[in-house]
Amino acid sequence: MALDTSPSLRHRIDADTYADPDAVLSKLISNTKLSAASRADISAAAAQLVRDIRGSSAPGLMEVFLAEYGLSTDEGVALMCLAEALLRVPDADTIDALIEDKIAPSDWGRHLGHSTSSLVNASTWALMLTGRVLDDEHPGPVRHLRAAIKRLGEPVIRTAVSRAMKEMGRQFVLGENMNSVLEGAANMVDSWVTFSYDMLGEAARTDADAKRYHLSYSRAISAIAAACTSDDIRKNPGISVKLSALHPRYEVAQADTAMTDLVPRLRALALLAKSAGMGLNVDAEEADRLALSLEVIDRVMSEPALAGWDGFGIVVQAYGPRAGTVLQTLYDMAERHDRKIMVRLVKGAYWDTEIKRAQVEGIDGFPVFTRKAATDVSYICNAKTLLGMTDRIYPQFATHNAHTVAAILHMAKEREAFEFQRLHGMGETLHRLVMEQNETRCRIYAPVGAHRDLLAYLVRRLLENGANSSFVNQIVDENVSPQVVAADPFEMLESTPAASIPKGPALFLPLRENARGFDLAHTQTLEAIYTARAPFATHQWAAAPLLAGEVDTRSTPQPVVNPANPQDTPGTVRPATKADVATAFDAATIWSAPLAERRRILRQAADIMEDRHGEIFALLAREAGKGLPDCVAELREAVDFLRYYAAQATTTPPAGIFTCISPWNFP
Ligand code: FAD
């Protein structure tokens, strides 16, 4: 992988990926200067919004549904698993097995009649009956009867559950194709409401996928063009695109190829959007693609033919400590290319993924805040920054949280200078009330596409809204008072202790330390690896038997050739002779050193391997042609084994080993 080592956009963006969250937040807070009185006003206005939403006759189905089936219940989790899988299971048998697995064990009865929505109550009835029919643990004739019902009922159950899931999908998808969607949307649009359309479907897996998505985006832009009737681009509908849909290897490891293909694809879409007089928005995705996405955006923004177009939009995620740096970078970029751009500020939809990925990879930090209040504070502070950049940036505030909305209304002087955004199927009442009371604009992000492509989008919505801390989850829960729902996040940040989510290195404590992780999408980490590896670029290794006895030196060293580069011979290997094997066996004894000593040696071996990762990576690459991810995986596996066995070691390890492998011990 070629790495540009000059100070670059990538360096700047990645410098703060794992920045100390407290330091980032205290800088944001001190720059924002929201007084205690302002914060109290914001919370009071937000609490009133909560009361108004609760008093409204039409709470959204999503809000009601989540109030009943949050992720903290077994049923909520079962539903999410179903939603995640059902729409893409092709055959009836697997659908039945899946339904049985997810529905039967849950206690649906306790949800019966709880909800304010008859649709949610009806779903509970259906799920409860389904659960009863599928619950097969009763002996005797009842069991046979139930088995018969189950057999007769399976197609019915399958159809009912699939319908329920599709109904849920329909809540979030505006329509299955662009033409029908545009017809329906025409009734909903006025000078204050418009749309940003999103073509459903997630990351491209192949280049054919990417070309198909590109074509589908191009067609969508052409179709939307007919609805772009205003001279003011802010009043026209727009489109949101995902770079991961436009390239199958949109990742740092393939940065050169990705840039070569992605830039012209995005540029072509931007030119189309420009000619239609509409906005084109690049959605924000996982944190490890952030710097690369900004490089693509920078290149496209520099296109001379896009001069005079104010519709290039970029999404910034407030849950990352880099949000402030990204905003400044975008502002500088717009200045440099003399453009006006749009920036949609979101909190971020990949929180769970980011936390899990960092832990699994053993990284000593998270690319996102770990406290909900921190994300809320970051959002408000960065919103203030954006409101001070309106000479170059049109801010678009995407949130369904009444407190966040109230904070923006409090900070924004001019209603015309920004817009709110919400997702189709969510936050309807909040944004209707806000528009009526404040004459603000609102853009609805509206997914378009077949229900089978809904999967990843639906899971993100369920995850973010199903969490107890989520605003949508709290709004319909009458047990939570409006003051609590609208509590000041600045205050919460001070008064609540930091979250105790274990970082990668601490994942297996107190048993053992996790193997060190390497974020291979992080510029500074990559540079450190290249530096550590550099001294071994031409090093010659001479491998030979290492014995507790005299080594037989008669065998001839064999040259080793780098399978990825035949010109490179990293050294030689001298094979063991029969005499070496005999010496090894003769010298083999039970390792009788004291337990503490055995453990210390295993742990020390792990530490030495980690310290010498530069040499190990170079050797693995040159001897076996391994790529960097494989090198990291191999080193981490070895280190994990050593630390695991050090932790597991007992006073009688050899007996344990033999017991385990002897044939007469098999069950
Ligand atoms: P809230 O309930 O106030 O916030 C929930 C959010 O808080 C979570 O999603 C998460 O970001 C954060 N959070 C939750 N728990 C924690 C925790 N323990 N520590 C730290 N933070 C936490 N998202 C993208 O990533 N990319 C996009 O391109 C994108 N486009 C969008 C477009 C629109 C129009 C809208 C409305 C949303 C978009 N989103 C996008 C999704 C957006 O990120 C979520 O809808 C949003 O995070 C929910 O925030 P909220 O203010 O509505 O709700």
Side-chain angles (χ1 to χ4, degrees), residues 369-657:
F369 295 116
T370 51
R371 283 194 282 176
K372 166 78 166 62
T375 296
D376 291 340
V377 165
S378 162
Y379 192 101
I380 294 170
C381 296
N382 283 302
K384 176 94 187 282
T385 307
L386 263 180
L387 287 166
M389 294 176 159
T390 48
D391 57 325
R392 287 282 170 200
I393 296 180
Y394 176 57
Q396 303 173 309
F397 298 114
T399 174
H400 311 111
N401 183 319
H403 184 280
T404 315
V405 166
I408 287 157
L409 289 170
H410 182 93
M411 296 185 299
K413 303 278 170 282
E414 239 190 289
R415 297 290 182 255
E416 278 281 298
F418 71 93
E419 70 183 30
F420 282 118
Q421 296 195 344
R422 69 170 177 87
L423 297 175
H424 170 65
M426 290 183 61
E428 269 168 81
T429 315
L430 167 69
H431 282 285
R432 181 174 48 74
L433 291 169
V434 167
M435 271 194 305
E436 283 167 8
Q437 293 165 9
N438 302 279
E439 300 198 334
T440 42
R441 292 176 213 277
C442 184
R443 188 181 297 269
I444 304 169
Y445 183 99
V448 178
H451 290 138
R452 65 169 182 280
D453 291 331
L454 181 65
L455 166 72
Y457 178 82
L458 190 60
V459 169
R460 279 205 298 277
R461 297 292 80 84
L462 286 171
L463 276 175
E464 84 194 14
N465 298 304
N468 282 344
S469 59
S470 119
F471 177 81
V472 168
N473 198 287
Q474 292 183 345
I475 184 80
V476 276
D477 185 352
E478 298 280 351
N479 296 322
V480 188
S481 73
Q483 287 81 355
V484 171
V485 181
D488 176 15
F490 291 84
E491 164 103 35
M492 282 164 68
L493 205 54
E494 276 175 21
S495 60
T496 52
S500 59
I501 302 176
K503 291 184 191 168
L507 211 53
F508 305 114
L509 289 179
L511 189 68
R512 69 188 156 97
E513 199 188 325
N514 195 1
R516 176 179 164 187
F518 298 84
D519 178 354
L520 297 181
H522 183 240
T523 310
Q524 284 76 359
T525 304
L526 280 173
E527 279 183 351
I529 291 177
Y530 286 116
T531 306
R533 224 170 60 167
F536 304 96
T538 54
H539 184 82
Q540 293 297 297
W541 287 275
L546 197 62
L547 298 176
E550 199 174 328
V551 177
D552 176 5
T553 52
R554 282 171 302 170
S555 69
T556 315
Q558 314 283 324
V560 174
V561 178
N562 180 342
N565 174 12
Q567 316 305 321
D568 180 25
T569 47
T572 55
V573 172
R574 191 155 55 72
T577 62
K578 279 187 181 168
D580 286 333
V581 175
T583 310
F585 268 97
D586 289 346
T589 57
I590 286 174
W591 194 11
S592 57
L595 177 64
E597 179 66 357
R598 277 186 272 134
R599 285 185 164 160
R600 189 193 61 75
I601 289 171
L602 293 179
R603 289 193 182 118
Q604 193 180 5
D607 293 347
I608 292 172
M609 287 177 87
E610 279 191 340
D611 286 348
R612 292 179 63 179
H613 65 269
E615 179 174 3
I616 292 174
F617 290 169
L619 178 62
L620 289 169
R622 293 181 57 210
E623 186 188 8
K626 286 188 187 255
L628 211 37
D630 280 346
C631 294
V632 169
E634 187 150 335
L635 174 65
R636 295 195 69 214
E637 186 180 24
V639 167
D640 268 337
F641 268 131
L642 288 163
R643 293 199 181 128
Y644 177 79
Y645 287 117
Q648 295 289 322
T650 65
T651 43
T652 53
I657 291 168

Side-chain angles (χ1 to χ4, degrees), residues 278-292:
M278 63 189 262
L280 177 139
N281 205 282
V282 179
D283 280 357
E285 301 184 66
E286 294 85 350
D288 61 353
R289 312 194 207 234
L290 177 60
L292 183 56

